[in-house]
């Protein structure tokens, strides 16, 4: 977890923590969330299906972006990940949208709305 505004040096120091230090991470995360008014919804033990969507997303992010790049700095990581995020959210066709990209789907909805208004007013 790297918060925006965290210095690159601090982020690297967090990533280089010894294995024994990781046991303190849950408390740090809870304190971070509480301090920012974030409610954590935890997955019940043995109920991974409660988190299937995010697990699928995490797998795609890992396979398509994180495993494909060797980041040389926090800025480099931010740039590459942001590019992947934009492509994933804006350019990639989605099954749930009938195979359209979000932009194509939005354009289709707009056309349908204009058509419905036109028909409603008899224009």
């Amino acid at each position: 977890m790297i918060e925006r505004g965290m210095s690159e040096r601090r982020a690297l120091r967090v990533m280089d923590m010894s294995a024994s230090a990781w046991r303190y991470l849950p408390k740090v995360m809870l304190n971070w969330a509480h301090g920012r008014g974030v409610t954590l919804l935890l997955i019940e033990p043995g109920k991974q299906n409660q988190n299937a969507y995010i697990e699928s997303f995490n797998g795609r992010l890992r396979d398509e972006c994180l495993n494909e790049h060797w980041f040389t700095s926090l800025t480099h990581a931010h740039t590459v990940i942001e590019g992947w995020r934009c492509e994933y959210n804006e350019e990639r066709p989605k099954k749930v949208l009938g195979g359209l990209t979000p932009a194509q789907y939005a354009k289709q909805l707009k056309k349908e709305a204009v058509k419905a208004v036109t028909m409603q007013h008899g224009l």
Side-chain angles (χ1 to χ4, degrees):
M1 164 179 48
I2 298 176
E3 184 177 346
R4 288 186 191 260
M6 179 184 280
S7 73
E8 185 171 337
R9 175 184 286 162
R10 180 168 166 94
L12 292 175
R13 192 169 62 227
V14 169
M15 288 184 233
D16 288 338
M17 291 188 324
S18 67
S20 64
W22 285 103
R23 68 177 174 231
Y24 300 108
L25 196 57
K27 185 175 182 179
V28 170
M29 188 173 116
L30 288 172
N31 288 338
W32 175 89
H34 179 72
R36 286 159 181 76
V38 174
T39 301
L40 299 175
L41 301 174
L42 304 176
I43 302 304
E44 297 173 75
K47 304 277 185 170
Q48 293 84 358
N49 60 332
Q50 292 176 341
N51 205 23
Y53 175 78
I54 195 63
E55 288 301 324
S56 174
F57 172 81
N58 286 345
R60 283 190 180 95
L61 174 62
R62 185 176 44 255
D63 293 342
E64 298 174 9
C65 183
L66 301 178
N67 290 347
E68 297 296 318
H69 299 278
W70 183 267
F71 303 115
T72 56
S73 68
L74 192 57
T75 301
H76 180 224
H78 176 78
T79 302
V80 170
I81 293 167
E82 181 66 11
W84 182 87
R85 186 194 65 78
C86 288
E87 186 273 331
Y88 181 85
N89 285 337
E90 299 166 12
E91 300 171 19
R92 189 177 296 196
K94 308 287 186 208
K95 286 181 187 176
V96 73
L97 301 179
L100 299 174
T101 66
Q104 291 168 327
Y105 185 71
K107 189 181 284 186
Q108 178 181 310
L109 286 178
K110 188 173 183 179
K111 281 183 186 177
E112 290 172 6
V114 168
K115 185 177 178 181
V117 168
T118 302
M119 293 177 77
Q120 185 179 27
H121 294 290
L123 301 173

